[in-house]
Amino acid sequence: MDRREVAAVLTYVGRLDPRTIRTAAGEARDQLATWHELLGDVPMATGQGWDVREIVRKRIVSSPYPILPADVAREWQTHRRDRLARHTDPTPAADPDNPEAWRAELLAARDAVAAGVAAPSAHRGITAGRHRPGLKDQLAAVGSYIPPAVRAELAPYRPARAAREAAIAAGGPDVLSVPCDWCHADKGEPCRRRRINLDGSARGNAPRDTAHPGRIDRALAAHAQQASAA
């Protein structure tokens, strides 16, 4: 703001809070110089949500003390920081092989956002909302992230997973969706070979290619219950 704009702000402040009015010529001149010194780089208003009059009115309403120019300056700094925090540097149109022009364009964009001349440029990310119609069909058409040929080649090296996937593809239950009462394997974990010592303690922890019969029966019962509920 220039001195004329700062004088207008002081007139507005004095109208809302007469305690700030200075009647002596010297005091009024010193007050104007102080306010201009602290608010010289603060705009009167921008098209991006900043208005000194709003800041002054809110400050006078919320505080019993006379407003100071530093109060307005701090609000402007907070406003600038908030805008820059919401800003993501767009890719400059300058030649990337020209670092000076590239940097100058980035700084000019940031200065415009900080000064309230331009709106912050945000990331284009995933937003909440309903899925597009036909999105499930499109995802199904893409297929698995592992091609079928690669999955077939990996089957001998992971027999437990291959047997699980084959059972699910055939319409059967997922045996790993329930825990195993015999080897105490959690959901999603393969069954383990559980051997009992003569003293009753368990030994052996090698994974099994197939689930224990009791786990299979439990998975079948859960699958049948879900089918009947559906």
Side-chain angles (χ1 to χ4, degrees):
M1 289 184 287
D2 54 25
R3 293 179 66 88
R4 181 180 57 82
E5 291 174 326
V6 173
V9 172
L10 280 173
T11 301
Y12 181 73
V13 171
R15 183 161 60 87
L16 297 182
D17 186 0
R19 295 176 299 174
T20 61
I21 297 177
R22 299 293 181 264
T23 55
E27 293 181 355
R29 183 174 56 254
D30 292 342
Q31 183 187 41
L32 177 60
T34 301
W35 278 67
H36 182 254
E37 178 70 22
L38 294 177
L39 303 182
D41 58 348
V42 177
M44 173 75 77
T46 68
Q48 303 294 328
W50 169 263
D51 192 328
V52 169
R53 293 169 299 179
E54 291 292 334
I55 301 302
V56 168
R57 183 161 49 249
K58 290 180 180 179
R59 178 68 182 181
I60 292 176
V61 170
S62 62
S63 176
Y65 302 103
I67 187 172
L68 300 175
D71 298 332
V72 180
R74 280 192 292 266
E75 289 291 339
W76 169 244
Q77 294 299 327
T78 301
H79 182 75
R80 281 172 51 93
R81 286 194 300 267
D82 177 69
R83 292 177 59 78
L84 290 175
R86 293 185 286 112
H87 175 67
T88 302
D89 291 326
T91 302
D95 186 358
D97 294 330
N98 188 346
E100 290 79 9
W102 183 279
R103 182 174 181 273
E105 186 172 343
L106 283 179
L107 293 178
R110 294 178 186 176
D111 291 341
V113 171
V117 177
S121 176
H123 275 300
R124 295 185 62 186
I126 299 175
T127 56
R130 297 182 178 179
H131 295 296
R132 297 196 313 267
L135 179 60
K136 292 184 178 180
D137 296 337
Q138 295 177 13
L139 294 177
V142 173
S144 172
Y145 64 93
I146 300 180
V150 177
R151 189 182 297 276
E153 293 180 4
L154 292 176
Y157 303 98
R158 49 178 195 175
R161 179 179 290 273
R164 177 189 183 188
E165 293 174 351
I168 296 174
D174 180 8
V175 294
L176 300 190
S177 63
V178 296
C180 182
D181 296 333
W182 174 255
C183 65
H184 304 293
D186 292 332
K187 293 181 180 180
E189 296 183 359
C191 287
R192 301 281 179 173
R193 290 187 176 90
R194 185 183 181 192
R195 298 178 181 177
I196 306 299
N197 293 325
L198 295 177
D199 59 356
S201 60
R203 66 184 178 91
N205 199 35
R208 288 168 50 98
D209 295 343
T210 59
H212 286 107
R215 189 176 195 179
I216 296 176
D217 293 340
R218 186 174 181 180
L220 286 170
H223 182 71
Q225 184 177 2
Q226 292 177 358
S228 61

